[in-house]
Amino acid sequence: MSVRVRVAPSPTGDPHVGTAYMSLFNLAFARQQGGEFLLRVEDTDRARFRADSEQQVYDMLRWLGLDWDEGPDKGGPRGPYRQSERLETYRPHAERLIADGHAYLCWCSGARLAEMREDQQKRKLPTGYDRRCVGLDRAARAALPGFSDTPVVRMLVPDDPPLRFHDLVRGEVSAPRPDDQVLLKADGFPTYHLAVVVDDHLMGITHVVRGEEWISSTPKHLLLFDWLGWERPAFAHMPLLRNADKSKISKRKNPAARLTWFVEQGYLPEALLNFLGLLGYSVPGEQEIFSFEQMSQSFDWARVNTVGPVFDLDKLAWLNGHYMRELSESDFAGRVLPFLQGAGLVGDPAAPVELAALTALVPLVQTRVALLSEVPALVRFLFTPEASFQVEASAVEKALTPANAPVLAAAAQALEGLDDWSAASVQAVVDAALLEDGLGLKRGKAYLPLRAAVCGASISPPLPESMALLGRERTLRRLRAGAALAADRESAERDPGVG
Ligand code: GLU
């Protein structure tokens, strides 16, 4: 039988990093086995449903290269793959369970259940449904207090439910005794527990690979598979991703729980994918840098971690740096482009001229940034028209001092006559004018005001290369403007009343 696995996100907001993590492990296993990977949208929780969330899940998984074989957008032989489109599928199974004595109608009102729970807590009893409705028909139940007109369907958990099961990651696992779980809600929607079992069966899922938070639900699922006469799938419960304080990663506490955060921050998808793999898996040889293919080819449940991996962003930054340096210049330029657009520095994404021009910048920045989002600040000086170019106040303060006015003027003068406007020639001319043979300055001191005047900031890509890219006219203009500004500050300092 061919392997079929699935990821089953609930579209309740920004996609969670756990969805990518589960997808990665499901897909790595599916590819190794020559099986299929399905995307099923579990949208039965209407209160928490968010319309744009499903598309975001698609976008984020595709960004990571975790594509699926069957899903709501792609169709497939076992669809529909959106639970809200399968509603009529679930009820007959619930009815069959009632007919077989494995489930019952429960008319207890929400208020009655809350009261019951409170009482159990007060008396330090285990909480759980007290089976008030078991054995009663509607009329008999209606005669008692706490009756609601629209019943739910509950499973009747037997005295000896299957509490132990085999897990591919953990070996033998025991889970606590389940409550009489609601299967069909008063609004006719199935709960997760009914829908997941029905769909996993009907979609031919052979291996349920999901987060460890579902271990305690597995006995209910096993009961349902058994009662409905369906073969149980294999189970693999992945360790939960954790914050540094070991708590479960949540979108409320940690921005990195949102997949879109990684895109915004300028992480590379290959780095995030490697990172997620590393959190839960070790490839043979234990190396930390590995591709999806390496993970998939070596895939072995025995290599999956059982301890909740800590989400260590320093490790991700390190991986990101590695993958950033690996990119070809044109690839790097293409990835930087959206960030330059986002910063308003360049326009049309399709303009090939821009991409070519951008490629020339890459050597200046590729090894200097940890994240793509850091690039715009470094190259802003190149994209700013002269009319709106301004030196940052802190750089003016520090570098465009009156004492530096002659340094800027000397550089401008020396560069005026330079024909070959390349980084090497620019550097040779500037150095001759400002270092030992010229003004006698050390290079650091000499470049400080030049950098401020030309790049507008105290931090920039290498200065000669920056000047070469900026071009003769613009460089000279900025050096002269910088010299004038520095000199002006002298008169302003002499006579603070002026200006
Ligand atoms: N919809 C569930 C979730 O969001 C899926 C759990 C499962 O994979 O069984 O986590």
Side-chain angles (χ1 to χ4, degrees), residues 25 33 107 118 120 195 228 234 236 315 325-326 336 346 348 368 377 382 427 440 455 466:
F25 281 80
Q33 299 287 318
W107 289 272
E118 207 177 297
Q120 287 169 339
L228 292 164
K315 174 70 69 160
R325 289 188 295 278
E326 294 267 290
V336 158
V346 298
D348 182 1
R368 288 188 168 70
L382 277 168
Q427 175 160 6
C455 301
S466 298

Side-chain angles (χ1 to χ4, degrees), residues 6 8-10 42 192 196 208-210 213-214:
R6 85 308 192 270
S10 299
E42 302 208 326
Y192 158 71
V196 77
V208 170
V209 182
R210 61 184 173 190
E213 72 267 37
W214 299 108

Side-chain angles (χ1 to χ4, degrees), residues 91 98 104-113 129 133 138 141-142 146-154 182 184-189:
R91 179 175 289 278
I98 297 176
Y104 57 93
L105 293 176
C106 169
W107 289 272
C108 286
S109 66
R112 188 234 134 223
L113 293 173
Y129 183 57
C133 295
R138 169 182 276 273
R141 179 62 183 85
F147 175 81
S148 156
D149 221 26
T150 42
V152 300
V153 176
R154 284 184 187 274
V182 173
L184 212 54
K185 294 181 265 189
D187 62 6
F189 274 64

Side-chain angles (χ1 to χ4, degrees), residues 101-273:
H102 294 307
Y104 57 93
L105 293 176
C106 169
W107 289 272
C108 286
S109 66
R112 188 234 134 223
L113 293 173
E115 223 170 82
M116 173 199 77
R117 221 168 296 126
E118 207 177 297
D119 182 58
Q120 287 169 339
Q121 274 159 1
K122 226 184 282 158
R123 296 200 283 140
K124 305 235 171 343
L125 295 172
T127 48
Y129 183 57
D130 62 2
R131 296 193 164 166
R132 162 80 49 102
C133 295
V134 171
L136 301 183
D137 63 12
R138 169 182 276 273
R141 179 62 183 85
L144 301 173
F147 175 81
S148 156
D149 221 26
T150 42
V152 300
V153 176
R154 284 184 187 274
M155 60 195 292
L156 184 63
V157 174
D159 292 341
D160 56 346
L163 300 181
R164 294 177 65 78
F165 63 93
H166 180 77
D167 187 280
L168 291 166
V169 174
R170 292 151 201 274
E172 285 308 302
V173 173
S174 335
R177 190 193 146 77
D179 191 12
D180 279 3
Q181 175 67 50
V182 173
L183 298 176
L184 212 54
K185 294 181 265 189
D187 62 6
F189 274 64
T191 56
Y192 158 71
H193 303 282
L194 176 63
V196 77
V197 168
V198 170
D199 287 347
D200 282 343
H201 171 71
L202 294 179
M203 294 181 183
I205 299 302
T206 55
H207 297 71
V208 170
V209 182
R210 61 184 173 190
E212 69 179 302
E213 72 267 37
W214 299 108
I215 289 178
S216 60
S217 299
T218 305
K220 303 177 204 176
H221 302 172
L222 295 176
L223 278 173
L224 292 173
F225 279 108
D226 295 351
W227 288 340
L228 292 164
W230 296 338
E231 194 181 335
R232 296 176 177 184
F235 288 91
H237 288 95
M238 296 292 302
L240 282 185
L241 303 178
R242 295 187 185 276
N243 294 306
D245 68 359
K246 299 279 154 74
S247 59
K248 177 183 165 184
I249 288 243
S250 74
K251 288 191 263 182
R252 215 165 16 86
K253 277 212 221 144
N254 191 339
R258 289 189 302 115
L259 278 173
T260 46
W261 182 82
F262 297 93
V263 182
E264 291 155 11
Q265 293 295 306
Y267 288 100
L268 298 179
E270 46 273 62
L272 179 58
L273 206 61

